[in-house]
Amino acid sequence: MAGNDIGGLLGGLLGGGKGGGGADMLGALLSALGGSQGGQGGGSLGGSLGGLLDILAKSGLAAQKDSWVGSGANQPVTGAQIQQALPDDTLQQVAKDAGVSTDQAADELAQVLPQAVDKLTPNGRVPASLDELVRQQKL
């Protein structure tokens, strides 16, 4: 449920007309991470996004993560890097929700994460909530 809400918002931020696959998958990822923290749906965007960024940084992707949050060019990541960074159960849940393999899920997340994180952190910081993000984006 929350994954669909976040996926819809991400679809809008990312130019949504592309069928929403990557945005929906990222929404499922943020929901899976938020759910593991006991968060409740809409208000947990900051916690789940912040948690995702922490996971990536601790997995050797700090430079990439910093490039997405900061200004300037977004550094790419690979599906293999995403697979190494994310907990197995989280990636398996995202893949299951999307109806794809874990390899496909990781590859798609690698494609969408740089642009999505860039859009989700317009002021160089993680928004505290979905409501704050909507206000920042004037959606």
Side-chain angles (χ1 to χ4, degrees):
M1 177 155 66
N4 291 339
D5 293 343
I6 295 170
L9 176 64
L10 293 171
L13 288 174
L14 299 174
K18 306 190 310 188
D24 289 343
M25 195 169 299
L26 184 55
L29 172 60
L30 294 175
S31 291
L33 291 171
S36 69
Q37 298 168 356
Q40 55 179 20
S44 68
L45 175 70
S48 55
L49 180 60
L52 171 61
L53 296 177
D54 286 346
I55 289 169
L56 295 174
K58 290 175 183 172
S59 300
L61 299 175
Q64 289 90 332
K65 183 252 332 169
D66 290 344
S67 77
W68 307 339
V69 173
S71 59
N74 293 329
Q75 294 181 17
V77 291
T78 66
Q81 289 172 309
I82 295 300
Q83 272 189 308
Q84 281 188 307
L86 293 177
D88 288 339
D89 58 335
T90 300
L91 188 57
Q92 289 169 1
Q93 184 63 49
V94 170
K96 180 181 172 196
D97 290 350
V100 298
S101 71
T102 54
D103 287 344
Q104 289 173 297
D107 287 343
E108 193 155 342
L109 286 168
Q111 293 300 310
V112 75
L113 271 173
Q115 181 185 8
V117 172
D118 187 45
K119 297 276 187 183
L120 289 170
T121 56
N123 300 319
R125 65 177 187 81
V126 176
S129 69
L130 205 50
D131 291 338
E132 181 182 339
L133 176 66
V134 169
R135 282 192 303 275
Q136 287 175 353
Q137 298 295 324
K138 297 175 180 66
L139 296 176

